Amino acid sequence: MFDKYEDECGVFGIYGHPEAANMTYLGLYALQHRGQESCGISASDGLRLRTHLGSGLVADVFKDDEIFQKLAGNASIGHVRYSTAGGDNIRNVQPIAVDYARGSIAVAHNGNLVNAREVRNTLEEKGSIFSTTADTEVIIHLLARSQSDALPDRVAEALRQVRGAYSLVFLTETRMVAVRDPHGFRPLVLGEVDGSYVVASETCALDLIEAKFLREIEPGEMVVFDKDGMTSYRPFEERTPSPCIFEFVYFARPDSTVFGQQVYEVRKRFGRQLAREHQVEADIVIPIPDSGVPASIGYAEEAGIPFEMGLIRNHYVGRTFIEPQQSIRHFGVKIKLNAIREVLEGKRVVVIDDSVVRGTTSRKIIKMIRNAGAKEIHMRVSSPPTAYPCFYGIDTPTRKELIASSHTMEEIRKYITADTLGYLSLEGMLEIAGAPKTAEGYFCEACFSGNYPIKFPRLKSDDQLGLF
């Protein structure tokens, strides 16, 4: 319903814990913001893998105690999903678990492979039969075809044939493997709890299970966990790091640390920089909750304007809310947000959001604020204009749907009906995020600039994306 880039996915894994599946459940609960469409857990008791999958939220899919009895074992991996490649078919729910000549293996994937269709076509021509439409299954087929004896070698051989973003966790009967792509697009962290190793997309998952944060899994690193402990490998050619800047803008939970920085503090600094770049005389600063709150606090502090909560969000409405009749669809935004007239009436209001994608929701929210009596509305966005789609694990609209790809700043302002409009500059964002001035492309900011760190093969359907 909201006009946002959709979160991609979240992965979690734990090795050597007597209640591995229960810990994975908690980890997925903490990562729920990264995907609300489906989830799953695979667990190993040392002899075989067992998997439970379902559509919906973690608490709904794993609401019965009998499920965890089935998932007994000391190693487990889990996944929360919002479809980025493959659609929302139940067959695409992860972890994907298969039996093959060398035993059983399950995999959970955060990211997107830019050459998945190309590799899949080649595999199908050689006789491979796919049971899902997810790009992750390509990795499974490549791994199964490998002639290498050692699991780390088979995983590395498979991943050298794909290009794109991946933070992966594999589980076999006796081992767990975590891998991050050489560019490091998506976050993946390493922790420890009760003598057991933990990997997760974000540190907030470690916090929930009271695990100690050890370090990030480095770009291009593979870590193998087995009865002998943890072993790190560097099987890939080194690349320039390209961590996704949108993790700071919107995706990561504000209480997480990603790419070595605390997300809440980075978002506050974005707001401070936004105030320096786009000052305006106003009475109050309000966020579009919840993701706009840290930047609003930073903006208010820097500008010396009081911070207020002029919009209140209904947290009991999920992303799967169904508007039952066409006749009431215009209530869509009001179901999630309500304006407080007593805060807004007669005021010059600065409204802070973290991003604007299509502009449709911004337009509705501004109308709501104006109807509550605001005298002026100054829209400020704590990221640059999003003008390009993402191919590295985010479900984004086609370019023609992105308002900044075809409209000037003034045209966007008129469309959303704000009195003024200002975006954080790309240069300001990168400086605040800590990108070294000498390291061009240190962050992936392709959704703002169109500079894609990994090129993708041009296929017929690419024309629909509006890139060519």
Side-chain angles (χ1 to χ4, degrees):
M1 183 191 299
F2 264 12
D3 183 20
K4 297 289 184 187
Y5 276 8
E6 295 290 357
D7 301 348
E8 60 282 22
C9 298
V11 299
F12 184 92
I14 184 167
Y15 187 89
H17 196 284
E19 296 185 65
N22 297 74
M23 300 295 268
T24 301
Y25 166 81
L26 293 172
L28 295 184
Y29 211 98
L31 297 172
Q32 186 74 87
H33 61 288
R34 297 187 73 87
Q36 297 88 38
E37 184 180 277
S38 61
C39 58
I41 293 176
S42 293
S44 171
D45 59 4
L47 298 174
R48 59 176 295 188
L49 297 185
R50 294 178 176 87
T51 300
H52 183 83
L53 309 169
S55 296
L57 302 177
V58 174
D60 296 325
V61 173
F62 293 94
K63 60 185 177 181
D64 298 325
D65 291 340
E66 307 88 75
I67 295 172
F68 292 96
Q69 295 173 13
K70 183 185 78 170
L71 296 173
N74 72 345
S76 176
I77 67 172
H79 188 266
V80 290
R81 181 174 189 269
Y82 188 95
S83 61
T84 58
D88 60 0
N89 191 307
I90 187 65
R91 293 181 304 166
N92 295 323
V93 179
Q94 295 186 28
I96 297 176
V98 300
D99 297 319
Y100 72 121
R102 297 177 184 270
S104 300
I105 193 165
V107 60
H109 176 200
N110 173 205
N112 212 47
L113 307 179
V114 300
N115 66 333
R117 281 179 290 176
E118 189 178 48
V119 176
R120 180 176 176 135
N121 290 343
T122 301
L123 289 169
E124 286 178 333
E125 289 173 0
K126 295 179 179 179
S128 293
I129 299 173
F130 285 77
S131 60
T132 79
T133 56
D135 62 343
T136 311
E137 193 181 0
V138 166
I139 298 170
I140 292 284
H141 280 268
L142 293 172
L143 188 150
R145 294 174 69 90
S146 172
Q147 299 301 305
S148 299
D149 293 327
L151 177 62
D153 294 336
R154 293 198 297 275
V155 171
E157 183 180 329
L159 294 179
R160 289 191 192 103
Q161 299 176 68
V162 299
R163 291 185 286 113
Y166 54 82
S167 285
L168 293 157
V169 186
F170 297 87
L171 183 67
T172 71
E173 295 91 339
T174 58
R175 282 175 286 186
M176 184 174 78
V177 180
V179 193
R180 194 169 168 211
D181 72 76
H183 289 271
F185 285 103
R186 301 281 151 229
L188 193 62
V189 297
L190 173 66
E192 183 271 335
V193 60
D194 300 331
S196 305
Y197 287 108
V198 185
V199 293
S201 290
E202 293 183 36
T203 58
C204 63
L206 304 183
D207 295 337
L208 180 57
I209 64 170
E210 299 183 337
K212 177 184 178 182
F213 170 71
L214 298 178
R215 62 177 179 86
E216 286 191 6
I217 304 292
E218 295 295 327
E221 183 181 14
M222 177 193 301
V223 184
V224 179
F225 308 90
D226 58 24
K227 60 181 178 58
D228 297 320
M230 180 183 78
T231 307
S232 174
Y233 299 87
R234 295 281 186 166
F236 309 111
E237 183 179 341
E238 188 174 344
R239 302 289 185 186
T240 302
S242 302
C244 173
I245 194 75
F246 227 89
E247 293 284 349
F248 287 136
V249 174
Y250 175 67
F251 293 139
R253 252 175 55 168
D255 53 329
S256 284
T257 297
V258 299
F259 310 141
Q261 298 196 66
Q262 214 285 318
V263 175
Y264 177 81
E265 291 299 326
V266 173
R267 289 178 183 168
K268 276 186 67 176
R269 297 202 303 269
F270 283 168
R272 287 184 174 277
Q273 180 66 20
L274 183 62
R276 289 190 286 268
E277 293 182 4
H278 296 284
Q279 297 183 13
V280 65
E281 290 189 8
D283 301 307
I284 58 173
V285 176
I286 70 167
I288 295 181
D290 290 318
S291 56
V293 172
S296 296
I297 295 172
Y299 190 102
E301 289 176 351
E302 182 69 23
I305 302 172
F307 170 88
E308 295 282 357
M309 290 296 294
L311 296 168
I312 301 300
R313 181 174 179 179
N314 180 355
H315 290 89
Y316 296 94
V317 179
R319 297 181 182 216
T320 55
F321 175 79
I322 299 172
E323 296 157 337
Q325 296 182 23
Q326 180 71 33
S327 60
I328 66 168
R329 288 190 178 178
H330 67 282
F331 289 113
V333 170
K334 289 183 68 67
I335 288 168
K336 280 198 172 182
L337 294 174
N338 192 31
I340 305 177
R341 177 173 290 274
E342 289 75 10
V343 173
L344 300 169
E345 192 167 25
K347 301 289 179 56
R348 299 169 297 174
V349 182
V350 178
V351 182
I352 308 289
D353 203 358
D354 57 80
S355 58
V356 174
V357 179
R358 295 180 179 88
T360 51
T361 300
S362 300
R363 179 184 174 98
K364 293 173 183 177
I365 291 173
I366 289 174
K367 179 181 178 182
M368 182 190 302
I369 296 170
R370 209 176 291 280
N371 288 343
K375 184 166 63 175
E376 296 175 7
I377 300 175
H378 305 280
M379 185 76 180
R380 297 293 182 266
V381 185
S382 59
S383 65
T386 50
Y388 298 87
C390 175
F391 299 95
Y392 307 131
I394 303 171
D395 187 52
T396 60
T398 59
R399 191 178 179 201
K400 65 182 179 181
E401 295 178 275
L402 301 172
I403 191 169
S405 72
S406 57
H407 293 70
T408 65
M409 199 69 63
E410 177 61 14
E411 288 171 340
I412 297 173
R413 184 199 66 77
K414 287 182 178 178
Y415 175 75
I416 65 175
T417 71
D419 292 286
T420 67
L421 171 65
Y423 286 86
L424 180 61
S425 68
L426 181 58
E427 297 76 18
M429 162 172 279
L430 292 175
E431 181 179 353
I432 293 300
K437 294 184 182 299
T438 57
E440 184 178 353
Y442 181 80
F443 283 101
C444 177
E445 23 76 11
C447 53
F448 306 126
S449 67
N451 297 321
Y452 294 96
I454 298 179
K455 304 305 178 185
F456 32 84
R458 178 175 176 175
L459 302 175
K460 290 182 179 179
S461 59
D462 289 334
D463 293 330
Q464 299 171 3
L465 301 170
L467 284 173
F468 304 109

